Amino acid sequence: MFDDCYLRLGRGPFASCTPLTVQLLAGLYALPARDEPDLRGALDNCGEGTPWSASLAVAPEQTLQAVSAMLRQVMLATVDLNPASIRAEALEGGCRARYHLEALLDLWAANEAILPADLARLKHFLASEARDAVQPLKLIWDSNRPDLTPLERAVLERLEAHHGAIEAGDADATRLIGKRQAPAAPEATLAGHVQRFMLDPQAPCRRADDSFAVLSVRDNLSEGEAAAAIIQNWLAQDPTLKPADIGVILPADGAYAASLADAFAVVGLAASTLPAAATRRNVGAEAVLHFVECRRRPAPAMALASLYSSPVLCWPPEVGAALAAAVMGGDYAPRLIEGLSDRAKSLFHLIRSPAPATTAQLKDQLRRFRHLLSEDEVLKDDVVEAKAQLARLAGALGGAADAAEPDFDKAIRFAAAYQPIAARRGAYLLGGVRVMLAHEAPDRSYRKLLVLGFNDGAYPCAPSGNPFFLDSEVALIREQTGLTLPSMASQLDRALALFIRQLRCASEQIVLLLSERDRSGGALAPSSSLPLMARLVERVAAPDDLVVPMVRGAGTIWDRLVAWRARPEFKAIEAPDLPPHLEFGIDLLGLRRKEDGSLRPQSPSRLETLLVSPLAWLLGELGARQVSWAPETLDVMLRGSLAHEVFEQLFPPGSDYPDHDAIAALVPDLLMERIRAIAPFLQSPAWLVERRTLESEIVKAARHWSQVLSALGAEIVGNEFWLSGEIFGHPVHGKADCLLRLADGQAVVIDYKKSSSGGRRKRLRAGWDLQVDLYRRMNVRLDEDSGEPVRRIAAALATNRLPGVAYHMLNDGGVLVNGLAEIESDHLEVIDGDIAEQAVAQIEARFAALRAGRLTINTTADADFFTKKASLGTYALQDSPLIAAFLREDDAPSVILAEEV
């Protein structure tokens, strides 16, 4: 507001000129101040029937911004800030323009206090007299400007009426307005010709010269580097040229500021008022949003992880990272919380506390969260942002009754309506290259001007859309009511006028830089103003002919603008050959030990990882596995866990099994109970279809399992029991899903798998299955604290006959059995032979290598071998990017087959 308007304060030789602002005017006239009004409350009170009511219910914050912006434009279009002065009835009844305009005027008339704080001060000024000014002043402005709003013009004319108009030829007016708007380059140069006649369709053409150039490079990173090289060459060639004589204009996109800052740092150039690299994340407000999201149960895992890792919380960053990694791994109560400080423990327990039942409880939790933020001075600004957002949120909740249920949707929407922290401008350096943004008018002239980002959508910037009125409706309102609102065309005219003024500040040379491609390689078009310039240059048949791409040694202007360096000699780097093994010189199998120094046991899943990729196994032993952040999903592992736990409750120890009707009646409640315990996100309505599908699958599998048990006359001895033992001198342990005792007394260890039989059958027949074979080699854990169920399982296994093992494949009902002598049943599929021959031989070889400190490197043939020959899953090869980085080129797999041992 009031661009290019100035006040000369005082009298005599010491009078000074300063830009006119509302704040300055308020100080000179002692105008009262007030806080910004709450437009949201006024919109809520409008009820149904307004043009924005439907949008307000769906996107309240965006609707609030749109209504606020349009209402401000209506206010600026008046001369007295009085809604009654606008004659909306002059428009045809029932038309869209009148409906929208009357809605805005009704909102304004019914809520006089919604006048923005700066406009409220201007309304007080319009009612003031000349004697109210606290000191003498003179207004310096261009009264012929077409871009002033009616309100701005009314204020300026009243100021001039109070203190008199400036004299013709006033020196300050000439310096501040006349010279700044006049073309600075000589008319004989192409730069001067473009400055004067860019909008004149009748202007003659001028021969091209080096005073004006449009150059293209690959992307905005290259633009920053090219700008630095050009400025460096200018300063080297002209000793009279100073950095302060050079102006640079950038788009508001932070990427340009970042690339220019990096390039200037490399060549040692100082930039004045260079914006920060990019808009900074508002991590304080982010933490508040994540906290509010976690107040509603079930708390999303990614929201919890994001909250834990926020830097504004009272625990150290490494603790937050560990908690985040734990929750993304499914551990919601990790052991490390035992070592936290009192404040950190209080914060953890607050985050994991039950959801508030009332608005009062939610407010209390917000207050407690405020007191558990970081006290680190370095994070002071971010903590202030968090506290400010908490205060705004508490205010938004203030209208709800304390005893009412919390409106989580409203609270989350409000918490999410925060803005990134605006990038700050760098310091003003008197001797530095002056950096301006594309929306700023230059305040002085420069000898050289560089314009970056000369692509479509900039110079001039694209006009913003109007959600209320079409351009035709804006014209109709102006014609019928006299109210002048900004249109798309007027915005474009204003932006184009600003660009011409920016070009006019250069007295010697103008260089426009544009990108040929964006960061992802997509083609970019030049600015829409390029044709206006191209038609002023001789021998330019098409606008694109004016653009000079960066070519070295072709005699173009590039050779005169930059000092080319000798091309470096290119030498291709050959990838090193990876050895078959990495030698560490220590016992890798003994890395994980208990507090007493004894070896920690391996589990079947760890050993299966070792089968496929020793490197992935080692990363797991070191606690260096990759933990990916992704939203919760009903994947294969979770489906299996839920099905296993439902089966455990559905088939308790004993010989009585539920019938089909009982299974259908019990499964929904049992599944929901386990969902609440281990997968609370599945309770939400969005997962209804998946929940019902899983329920149906479990019912089908359970009915089939009941038939199998009845046909075999089997007794369920126990569910979910631990086994332990040794393999090749190293301890192992694992948890089996179920133990059966057949009619002849033989025990069968069962493992449920939420998959189909095909792949598992191939693995068993190929001799690469490990899990159930390990169960057969282990014993039940027994100690003095063992209860009767565990002792019953141990007694069932303590016979002279090795137990049989089986996989119950829940997806198709297949039961794959091994180790049962002379059993025949239509419900079982017997797999004869040694189902673990190859796997055990490979484990033996892997153990020997690890004990010798040798880590076998995977080859490019491993994925194909393990998938086709061993029928093993190759998830371990995707466990970490390091696995692929250390993949050795070889046609042979990295395994030692049993026949080779």
Side-chain angles (χ1 to χ4, degrees), residues 285 296 645 719 750 868 898:
R296 179 163 59 181
E645 298 201 18
N719 290 315
I750 306 292
K868 295 181 179 178

Side-chain angles (χ1 to χ4, degrees), residues 185 190-192 194-195 209-215 234 447-451 499-500 502-512 533 557 561:
L190 179 58
V194 171
Q195 288 174 350
D209 59 39
D210 284 357
S211 67
F212 183 85
V214 184
L215 313 177
W234 278 340
R447 290 175 60 183
K448 309 277 189 179
L449 178 67
L450 267 167
V451 178
F499 179 47
I500 293 173
Q502 290 169 334
L503 294 178
R504 286 181 171 182
C505 75
S507 61
E508 293 182 5
Q509 194 170 16
I510 301 171
V511 175
L512 308 177
M533 304 169 178
I557 189 173
L561 283 175

Side-chain angles (χ1 to χ4, degrees), residues 65 103 107 156 158 228 232 240 260 274 295 359 388 411 466 586 588 621 671 729 759 805 807:
Q65 293 174 8
L107 175 65
L156 294 172
R158 189 163 188 83
Q232 202 177 19
T240 66
L260 191 69
L274 176 66
R295 292 300 78 223
T359 302
N466 188 330
I586 59 171
L588 298 175
E621 295 292 288
L671 177 59
V805 292
Y807 285 111

